[in-house]
């Protein structure tokens, strides 16, 4: 239902000649504690992550942010998971465990 509504809004905007701006949140990795943050805070966090020069700096920013969100959740009487979510690690969004069509996959004989 949500996707249909979103498409409808995009079509109406296109017919009216309105600019269509992609949502940054739909493309970005999830932010730990985002439900406790304002849109401005989420935007600032994403900008800090984009501005970070190294993976170590991004990791430091994530850890600082994680601690801040844990404190904020505690102050509001809410709970968040103890560990921040993995960023860019782990399995992808694939559907299975079998070989794909890439090199060495089931498409090769």
């Amino acid at each position: 239902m949500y996707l249909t509504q979103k498409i409808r809004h995009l079509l109406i905007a296109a017919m009216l000649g309105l600019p269509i701006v992609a949502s940054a949140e739909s493309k970005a990795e999830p932010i730990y504690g985002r439900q406790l943050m304002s849109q401005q805070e989420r935007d600032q966090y994403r900008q800090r992550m984009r501005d970070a020069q190294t993976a170590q700096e991004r990791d430091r920013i994530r850890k600082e942010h994680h601690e801040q969100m844990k404190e904020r959740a505690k102050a509001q009487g809410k709970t968040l998971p103890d560990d921040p979510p993995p960023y860019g690690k782990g399995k992808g969004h694939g559907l299975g465990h079998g070989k794909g069509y890439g090199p060495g996959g089931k498409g090769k004989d």
Side-chain angles (χ1 to χ4, degrees):
M1 181 67 153
Y2 175 75
L3 184 59
T4 305
Q5 187 177 31
K6 196 170 193 175
I7 292 170
R8 185 179 310 130
H9 290 157
L10 289 172
L11 288 172
I12 292 170
M15 288 188 307
L16 295 174
L18 300 173
I20 299 173
V21 179
S23 169
E25 189 150 351
S26 65
K27 298 176 189 172
E29 292 181 354
I31 299 174
Y32 178 81
R34 66 190 169 279
Q35 64 273 32
L36 303 175
M37 301 169 70
S38 69
Q39 183 63 47
Q40 181 180 6
E41 288 173 316
R42 289 190 295 269
D43 292 343
Q44 288 172 345
Y45 174 78
R46 287 189 182 104
Q47 188 61 50
R48 285 184 68 203
M49 293 298 283
R50 281 191 295 270
D51 291 344
Q53 299 295 312
T54 64
Q56 291 82 11
E57 187 177 356
R58 283 186 291 278
D59 193 45
R60 181 187 52 78
I61 292 168
R62 280 187 201 105
K63 288 177 182 176
E64 288 174 3
H65 173 76
H66 180 75
E67 290 304 314
Q68 291 170 350
M69 290 300 103
K70 281 180 25 179
E71 290 174 16
R72 186 178 292 186
K74 185 177 179 180
Q76 294 180 13
K78 298 178 181 178
T79 58
L80 291 173
D82 288 333
D83 296 320
Y87 289 89
K89 297 178 183 172
K91 295 184 179 182
H93 297 286
L95 297 175
H97 302 290
K99 292 184 177 184
Y101 285 98
K106 62 184 174 186
K108 292 278 193 181
D109 285 315

